[in-house]
Amino acid sequence: MTLDPAGQPFPVPAQSPVPAQSPIPAQGAPIQSAVWSTPVRRTNVSTIVWATIGIVLAALALMLVLVYLSTFLGPGALLVCLVLALVPLTLVILAVRWIDRWEPEPRPALWFAFLWGAGVSIVTALVFDLGVQIVVATSGVARPEGDFAAAVIQAPLVEEAAKGFGILLLFWVIRGQFNGPIDGVVYAAMIAAGFAFSENIQYFGVAMLDGGLSDLGVTFLLRGVISPFAHVLFTACTGLAIGFAARRASGSRYLALVFLGFAAAVLLHAIWNGAFYFLTDDASLVGYYFLVQVPLFIGAILVVAMLRRQEERLTLRRLGDYAAVGWFTAAEVEMLATPRGRRQARAWAAAQPQARRLAMNRFIVDAARLASVRQRLVSAETLAHRRATARAIRQGPGADTAEEARLLGLLMRDRAEVIG
């Protein structure tokens, strides 16, 4: 049995599916065998097609939003507000990069998430609001300014539903890359960042038109500096729920988890909007922000940090399963599954030729993905989820097993290139 870096054994759970024995145990040198001698495609063609279509459609929706905003702001004001909106967007993207470092998500999926939030979600909210206005106008009932129902009920429900559907769409299309709660948070944050980006342009523009630079400054301080992560915090609830459900649930339990996350997102969004509706003076708003929002934000940071640490431990444990049957050496497990090992590996690769440097990066990333796939296999066995699930219906009953074999092939090819 292989030992981890701390000298503890890596037990293979008796109830979990044991990985296939490596044809030739890893000895730290290039190995040729049937497992990795066959060329392996890194990306399925259908995934590329769907990603391209999704990105193009979402980008068109964003262009439609920008055209709509330019009609009442004007090109000059739109440009100013767009530049200001980049400030909170940059803060969120930097946070996402930190969260996503352990097992980076595919760039096209992240672009789609951002464009979905900035384009499709905004268009959905605008169209729904327009429909409500038409219904109200035809019914002859006047809609008051600052309508409570619109701010505290309609907006949270519609906006969080639009953003949450984007996360579900990513889950359905790239199921093999959606491995747990951290992935859910990452995609939710990117969708929320896109939504806040477009919404900030609108709010900054309205403030500038109504009150000039002074109002614009106050609005930028509130939305761009004090609360750039507000939408991220809301939508992250849905992303977390989908991520947990992806790893641990199926059927009605899956739907219950997703609904619970969505309900939490709507509730937090409604509380935030309600505060601005009821607390009209600056002192009350500041007090609310520090008493309610700051603790929530700190709690969210602690939860993400805990999940990141859990993801690291999971990678170490699951790669240990493969080391126990000869796929990796103990030194390779430490290199691939510990922050210190990764830093040392990347520092070494930085001085190597580009091909070897890229192979090392792929080696590390694919190992984390392999650990996530194995965790799904272990969870499916442990929780007796062998029956047909929504994922199995779409991908086939052996989807995870096939992905495991694919990643093992990629990893052995990467290792051979790293060793040279």
Side-chain angles (χ1 to χ4, degrees):
M1 181 166 295
T2 306
L3 300 181
D4 68 11
Q8 299 299 317
F10 283 111
V12 177
Q15 74 273 25
S16 68
V18 178
Q21 186 82 26
S22 173
I24 304 177
Q27 300 296 332
I31 306 171
Q32 295 296 323
S33 78
V35 174
W36 52 84
S37 59
T38 304
V40 181
R41 292 181 301 177
R42 287 191 173 272
T43 307
N44 189 282
V45 174
S46 64
T47 302
I48 296 175
V49 172
W50 281 114
T52 303
I53 293 173
I55 289 173
V56 169
L57 292 178
L60 289 174
L62 175 57
M63 291 177 61
L64 183 63
V65 171
L66 294 177
V67 169
Y68 165 75
L69 292 173
S70 68
T71 56
F72 68 89
L73 294 180
L78 176 63
L79 180 60
V80 171
C81 297
L82 189 149
V83 171
L84 290 176
L86 289 174
V87 175
L89 175 63
T90 302
L91 294 175
V92 174
I93 289 178
L94 288 175
V96 170
R97 282 178 60 85
W98 175 79
I99 297 170
D100 196 35
R101 280 189 308 170
W102 190 257
E103 185 191 345
E105 302 307 311
R107 292 284 180 86
L110 295 176
W111 271 109
F112 171 80
F114 170 77
L115 292 170
W116 179 276
V120 178
S121 296
I122 291 288
V123 170
T124 301
L126 290 173
V127 170
F128 190 92
D129 188 64
L130 178 61
V132 171
Q133 291 184 36
I134 292 174
V135 170
V136 170
T138 54
S139 66
V141 179
R143 183 178 181 179
E145 288 294 325
D147 182 18
F148 173 82
V152 184
I153 299 175
Q154 175 188 312
L157 280 170
V158 175
E159 293 173 9
E160 294 308 322
K163 291 184 285 182
F165 186 75
I167 307 172
L168 279 174
L169 196 60
L170 281 164
F171 173 74
W172 291 329
V173 174
I174 55 167
R175 177 65 185 89
Q177 305 288 346
F178 206 118
N179 297 313
I182 286 289
D183 292 357
V185 170
V186 167
Y187 289 127
M190 288 301 296
I191 289 175
F195 187 92
F197 173 72
S198 294
E199 192 178 58
N200 281 338
I201 296 174
Q202 178 185 358
Y203 274 90
F204 295 160
V206 170
M208 186 166 60
L209 293 178
D210 291 347
L213 292 180
S214 61
D215 278 15
L216 174 60
V218 171
T219 305
F220 175 75
L221 180 65
L222 288 174
R223 298 186 62 89
V225 179
I226 295 179
S227 59
F229 294 94
H231 275 286
V232 173
L233 183 61
F234 309 151
T235 313
C237 296
T238 307
L240 268 176
I242 294 174
F244 276 119
R247 182 176 288 174
R248 300 171 182 269
S250 64
S252 59
R253 183 176 297 179
Y254 174 88
L255 294 176
L257 275 173
V258 173
F259 178 79
L260 186 63
F262 171 70
V266 172
L267 179 62
L268 288 179
H269 199 154
I271 292 173
W272 175 262
N273 286 4
F276 285 89
Y277 187 86
F278 288 110
L279 305 177
T280 55
D281 61 288
D282 294 341
S284 298
L285 282 172
V286 170
Y288 159 79
Y289 179 77
F290 283 102
L291 289 175
V292 178
Q293 291 299 321
V294 170
L296 284 174
F297 181 61
I298 293 173
I301 293 175
L302 293 176
V303 168
V304 170
M306 180 188 68
L307 290 173
R308 269 286 306 272
R309 180 59 183 153
Q310 184 184 54
E311 196 172 47
E312 294 170 10
R313 290 196 299 266
L314 180 146
T315 303
L316 189 66
R317 186 180 305 116
R318 296 282 77 95
L319 291 186
D321 295 350
Y322 292 100
V325 290
W327 287 104
F328 303 110
T329 66
E332 285 173 335
V333 170
E334 181 178 6
M335 180 191 76
L336 296 169
T338 66
R340 181 172 177 269
R342 285 184 169 197
R343 285 194 299 271
Q344 291 177 336
R346 288 191 167 117
W348 171 85
Q352 303 301 313
Q354 182 181 15
R356 185 174 288 180
R357 184 169 64 251
L358 295 176
M360 175 62 80
N361 188 61
R362 292 194 304 267
F363 196 31
I364 292 171
V365 171
D366 286 341
R369 290 174 179 164
L370 176 66
S372 295
V373 170
R374 171 143 183 82
Q375 179 62 29
R376 289 205 300 267
L377 289 167
V378 171
S379 297
E381 179 79 10
T382 304
L383 300 174
H385 285 159
R386 289 184 178 276
R387 63 185 181 277
T389 63
R391 171 181 52 78
I393 291 171
R394 188 177 68 84
Q395 292 186 327
D400 283 337
T401 303
E403 180 67 3
E404 178 189 43
R406 186 184 78 90
L407 287 169
L408 282 170
L410 294 176
L411 281 160
M412 297 306 105
R413 291 164 72 89
D414 291 338
R415 179 212 276 150
E417 192 166 355
V418 167
I419 296 172

